[in-house]
Amino acid sequence: MKGKVILIGAGPGDFGLMTIKGFEKLKNADVVVYDRLVGEDILRFIPENAEKIDVGKKASEHKIPQYEINRILTEKALSGKNVVRLKGGDCFLFGRGGEEVEFLKNNDIDFEVVPGITSALAVPAYAGIPITHRDFASSVYIITGHKKDNEPLDINFENCVKCGGTLVFLMGVSNIKYITEGLISNGMKKDMPCGVIERGTLPNQRKIISTVSDIAEICENEKIESPAVIIIGKVCELGYDFDWFEKLPLKGKNIVVTRPKDRAEGISEKLKKLGAYVMEYPCIETISLIDDKLFYEILKKIELYDWIVFTSPSGVKFVFDSFFNKKIDGRIFYGKKIAVIGNATGDELKKYGMFYDAMPEIYDGKNLGILLGKITKGKKVLLLRAKDGSSELTYELEKTEVQFDDTAVYYTNYINNQDNMVKEKILKGDIDYITFTSSSTVKAFAISVNKGYDKFTGVCIGEKTNSEAIKHGINTIVSKRAVIDDMVSLIVSEVKKCR
Ligand code: SAH
């Protein structure tokens, strides 16, 4: 059976600006053919086993020619695949979506189109520029500033000036001098407000507002590059007062997150929503130790113990996933009391339909040990945690009469991350904060990056992580409680202090 091609507009870059329908369709893709302007965060949602084909194009150098893209779409659909063609912004606005659909139609291949939010509308909005306003402009014209195969531009400048509406140019940065001179020589006032927004809607968005007579020179001096939108019209003046994006508390801040890949998302998303530019640089990974032998050992042990103790979300996940995989009913935990080290571990437990009975006020091994010492007297306690876990917990328990067993259910592997882009940015002083959510992330980071510690601030989740970071000579700040939300608000208040 023949497959189908679904053209999806992915929006201008900000992850939240792709439609729900677009995401739904993307989830079922067998093959995803995507462009350069599709946001990195959206690409993370391509199903793991889908084939990914990058046909990204740059202004004058087409990485893969259009006829080749058409051929790929057709060939994949003919082989029965559900093909998603993911395009920046909207599919049909200057993205050659029309040509792709024409080719599919001629080859008798079914297609669907999911429109996207175009950069022509979203980028001005993120710059605080309403493209129409009753006092300034009652029409908008969206114009391409780039021609097919570098043919000469044939913009009707006279009409552009006469229409009196807002002009939005896409693909126009390399021709900005030609465009602005053309408008002025056709009667546009030299002081007409004009805005250029580079990488709009993204955390590293840059915005310039000036006049049509000097914007080209400023863009050249500031080295503004594609992708950028040029907006010309009186509404651009509002971009000073109506800016909201630049005012986000972490706008302009570059933050590195060192958490394992599968746990980075929570903190990264929170920081991004506040305007930060986040780079994930996983320094550790957690690996389950639960093989068949250990699984049956744990199973047997669980029957013997009154209290089960988890000291990390990973521990909870590995234990419950192994039970689920072996089809062991959750009622095996019936009647057991469960203690967790902190909120995140408690939240992970809830995902498996269970609630904890005890959690210390301060989320660390020492305080968990002190609490257990008080509440589990005469009871049998099973610790299910990382290999070489904190000795503070067992030290506290050993001081009491609690009977406990310590079972390692996973271990932490240090990754020697080789992402040179992040390393170079650290050395150049371009990174403001690096988050450390455990002492192992600090140790692993120190193996992978051994220079430039005076150029950023380490944001540590608790005292133990903090002292590990200080040991390595990192300047640190430390969150009051060992929770992600406190780390995020700590960064926000720190940035506020420095602004
Ligand atoms: N179909 C797309 C436009 C494709 S043409 C849409 O609807 O947005 C590519 C041009 O879009 C770029 O040269 C630039 O002018 C504009 N563009 C796309 N994403 C952008 C972004 N995040 N910031 C600024 N301009 C962007």
Side-chain angles (χ1 to χ4, degrees), residues 12 37 88-90 93-95 118-120 123 170-171 197-200 226-229:
L37 292 176
D90 177 68
L93 188 75
F94 303 146
T118 174
S119 60
V123 172
L170 301 192
M171 297 183 279
I197 294 104
E198 180 192 63
R199 293 188 296 264
S226 170
V229 168

Side-chain angles (χ1 to χ4, degrees), residues 346-404:
D347 286 345
E348 189 70 21
L349 196 64
K350 283 185 207 155
K351 288 191 197 158
Y352 296 89
M354 264 171 250
F355 292 86
Y356 57 83
D357 301 280
M359 177 169 83
E361 254 172 48
I362 298 171
Y363 304 159
D364 63 16
K366 182 174 177 201
N367 284 281
L368 177 62
I370 294 171
L371 176 70
L372 289 172
K374 285 183 197 149
I375 61 176
T376 66
K377 269 188 202 134
K379 303 282 183 204
K380 288 192 173 155
V381 175
L382 175 62
L383 312 181
L384 294 176
R385 58 179 195 147
K387 186 166 182 257
D388 304 323
S390 144
S391 56
E392 287 178 345
L393 170 59
T394 41
Y395 175 76
E396 288 302 326
L397 287 175
E398 271 154 13
K399 287 201 278 189
T400 69
E401 285 150 30
V402 174
Q403 294 178 39
F404 72 93

Side-chain angles (χ1 to χ4, degrees), residues 11-14 35-37 59 87-96 116-121 123 144 146 169-173 197-202 205 225-230:
D14 180 351
D35 278 348
R36 178 175 73 103
L37 292 176
K87 298 171 82 69
D90 177 68
C91 320
F92 280 170
L93 188 75
F94 303 146
R96 303 182 78 171
I117 298 185
T118 174
S119 60
L121 300 180
V123 172
T144 172
H146 182 80
F169 286 89
L170 301 192
M171 297 183 279
V173 253
I197 294 104
E198 180 192 63
R199 293 188 296 264
T201 80
L202 294 165
Q205 166 178 310
E225 285 180 2
S226 170
V229 168
I230 305 167

Side-chain angles (χ1 to χ4, degrees), residues 454-473:
D454 55 335
K455 299 191 191 307
F456 65 88
T457 302
V459 186
C460 299
I461 196 161
E463 278 311 331
K464 199 155 167 262
T465 308
N466 191 37
S467 50
E468 186 65 40
I470 291 171
K471 230 192 276 171
H472 289 275

